[in-house]
Amino acid sequence: MILHELINYDTLRMIWWLLLGVLLIGFAVTDGFDLGTGMLLPFAAHDDIERRVVINTIGPVWEGNQVWLILGGGAIFAAWPQLYAVSFSGFYLAMFATLVALILRPVAFKFRSKREGARWRASWDWILCVGGFVPALIFGVAVGNVLQGVPFRIESDMRIFYEGTFFGLLNPFAVLCGLVSVAMLMLHGSAWLQLKTQGPVAERSRAWGSAAALLTVALYALAGVLLWFFIDGYRLTGPANMTGPSNPLLKGAERHAGAWFANYAAHPWLWLAPLLGLAGPLLALLGLRLRRPVLALLSSALGITGIILSVGVSMFPFILPSSLNPRASLTVWDSSSSHLTLFIMLVVTAIFIPLIVAYTSWVYKVLWGKVDEQAIRDERGHAY
């Protein structure tokens, strides 16, 4: 028996769908508090020392956190090439704006302290704020568009054509999903600042985080209601060929009202995902009000996990539905790489993901504790 045949093709496809979700959640939970902290910088910290405290809470870890984004992009490229082709080309301008924002963040970290001028430093502080806001918004907008269907089609020779526009992405429901993402990550950043700071910065962060928690619950619930009553989902019109070739055009699919809730009806235990998405921010709010930062941060992470899982559970087995031709929609079973490729990637992942998690855990253990404002005043123990 050939080694890669030890795991069935359909099983490998399912494993990689799950791993893609793990990578997205890993990025949102780790780099999410970096983005949220950046968004809060001009509001939680009012003078230069306070802002340096905030920056130094994420300065030593933000680069490591972005490894999850690189892993996610690499996984999409290697495991789901058609998904990569549509999303990274169709959402090109949105991706470009995201990359510009992410590139400006390290520039701001490094350049901010090169000059003493208040205007100079304030300008970089606002760039850090925008560098947190823009990716959070665009990632949410992208999810909102995926839930509605993306305007692409696939020809018989497997050429992919995207027929949407950048401003077409900014429809009301997608913007609402973007605001859910912004509020969710702002809450996460607030919980992080509660854990890493003290005094006025922690108190202001607690106030902003409390508002973000309530806003996350309200906007997420509103998005769910709109998805249920006003936005059609997608469903297969015949049995899925789980071991068939990666050709989306071989299946039947259609748009159908309420289709995104069919999995919940078939498996009621899946409601745990959206319930976690609602309960997590409320528990984080409780942690903030009780001044229990660990509870707030873990609860915020659970809320992020629930919100992302609820999207994946709703859409399964669809990964990227097509609003132009539902048959061209990409699913778990018809848009993956080959059996051998998925197996080799799984072996590599099984080796390196535990190493990354172990190293990251060690880094956070070493850096555990609050950022000391006095140390920054004394020019000791700070990076930025």
Side-chain angles (χ1 to χ4, degrees):
M1 176 183 293
I2 300 176
L3 186 60
H4 71 272
E5 292 182 353
L6 293 173
I7 305 179
N8 295 333
Y9 196 14
D10 57 329
T11 303
L12 279 172
R13 284 169 160 170
M14 189 67 186
I15 289 173
W16 271 103
W17 178 78
L18 293 171
L19 284 175
L20 181 59
V22 169
L23 294 174
L24 293 176
I25 292 170
F27 168 69
V29 169
T30 56
D31 205 43
F33 67 72
D34 291 349
L35 300 177
T37 298
M39 284 189 276
L40 287 169
L41 177 61
F43 310 106
H46 289 174
D47 59 35
D48 185 61
I49 293 295
E50 290 182 349
R51 291 184 179 182
R52 289 173 71 183
V53 168
V54 171
I55 290 172
N56 278 277
T57 66
I58 59 175
V61 297
W62 71 268
E63 290 176 292
N65 292 339
Q66 287 200 164
V67 167
W68 293 97
L69 178 61
I70 298 170
L71 289 173
I76 292 174
F77 173 75
W80 311 99
Q82 292 171 322
L83 173 62
Y84 181 90
V86 176
S87 58
F88 280 72
S89 59
F91 297 161
Y92 180 79
L93 290 178
M95 293 289 183
F96 181 78
T98 301
L99 288 176
V100 169
L102 292 176
I103 290 170
L104 286 175
R105 285 205 307 160
V107 175
F109 283 134
K110 299 298 184 182
F111 277 38
R112 183 189 185 277
S113 296
K114 297 300 183 183
R115 291 174 56 182
E116 295 289 341
R119 179 177 295 181
W120 170 269
R121 293 189 172 185
S123 298
W124 289 112
D125 290 340
W126 280 104
I127 288 175
L128 282 172
C129 179
V130 173
F133 174 80
V134 170
L137 179 68
I138 290 180
F139 289 143
V141 167
V143 171
N145 278 281
V146 168
L147 285 168
Q148 296 174 91
V150 177
F152 73 94
R153 56 187 174 85
I154 300 177
E155 295 294 324
S156 57
D157 58 2
M158 301 308 295
R159 288 185 300 162
I160 299 173
F161 296 88
Y162 178 81
E163 299 185 4
T165 63
F166 173 76
F167 292 103
L169 299 175
L170 302 177
N171 56 79
F173 180 76
V175 172
L176 173 62
C177 292
L179 294 177
V180 172
S181 177
V182 168
M184 175 180 75
L185 297 187
M186 185 176 288
L187 167 61
H188 204 41
S190 172
W192 174 254
L193 288 177
Q194 281 281 292
L195 181 68
K196 298 292 290 184
T197 66
Q198 52 193 347
V201 173
E203 289 303 308
R204 296 188 200 108
S205 300
R206 188 165 68 93
W208 281 98
S210 299
L214 295 175
L215 197 59
T216 300
V217 172
L219 293 177
Y220 178 57
L222 176 60
V225 171
L226 293 177
L227 193 65
W228 189 312
F229 290 103
F230 299 103
I231 295 176
D232 292 343
Y234 292 76
R235 68 180 184 183
L236 299 176
T237 57
N241 185 358
M242 299 180 183
T243 58
S246 291
N247 184 347
L249 298 178
L250 297 180
K251 69 175 179 304
E254 64 180 3
R255 299 182 66 167
H256 190 271
W260 286 153
F261 291 87
N263 288 334
Y264 296 108
H267 308 283
W269 62 271
L270 293 175
W271 282 104
L272 290 174
L275 289 176
L276 188 61
L278 294 170
L282 293 176
L283 286 174
L285 173 62
L286 179 63
L288 290 173
R289 304 313 297 177
L290 294 178
R291 292 178 172 81
R292 299 290 181 87
V294 174
L295 172 62
L297 187 64
L298 292 178
S299 298
S300 176
L302 287 176
I304 291 172
T305 301
I307 290 172
I308 295 176
L309 284 177
S310 67
V311 175
V313 166
S314 297
M315 293 180 57
F316 184 83
F318 289 88
I319 299 178
L320 191 66
S322 169
S323 60
L324 297 182
N325 178 13
R327 287 184 60 233
S329 300
L330 308 182
T331 73
V332 173
W333 316 121
D334 60 23
S335 59
S336 72
S337 293
S338 68
H339 191 173
L340 179 60
T341 299
L342 295 182
F343 179 78
I344 294 174
M345 288 177 58
L346 182 62
V347 172
V348 174
T349 301
I351 295 172
F352 285 100
I353 289 293
L355 292 176
I356 293 172
V357 172
Y359 174 75
T360 302
S361 301
W362 176 79
V363 168
Y364 280 102
K365 180 180 179 181
V366 171
L367 297 173
W368 187 260
K370 295 183 181 295
V371 176
D372 185 7
E373 183 175 317
Q374 188 59 44
I376 291 181
R377 291 184 184 276
D378 296 340
E379 298 295 322
R380 296 183 294 105
H382 67 279
Y384 298 98

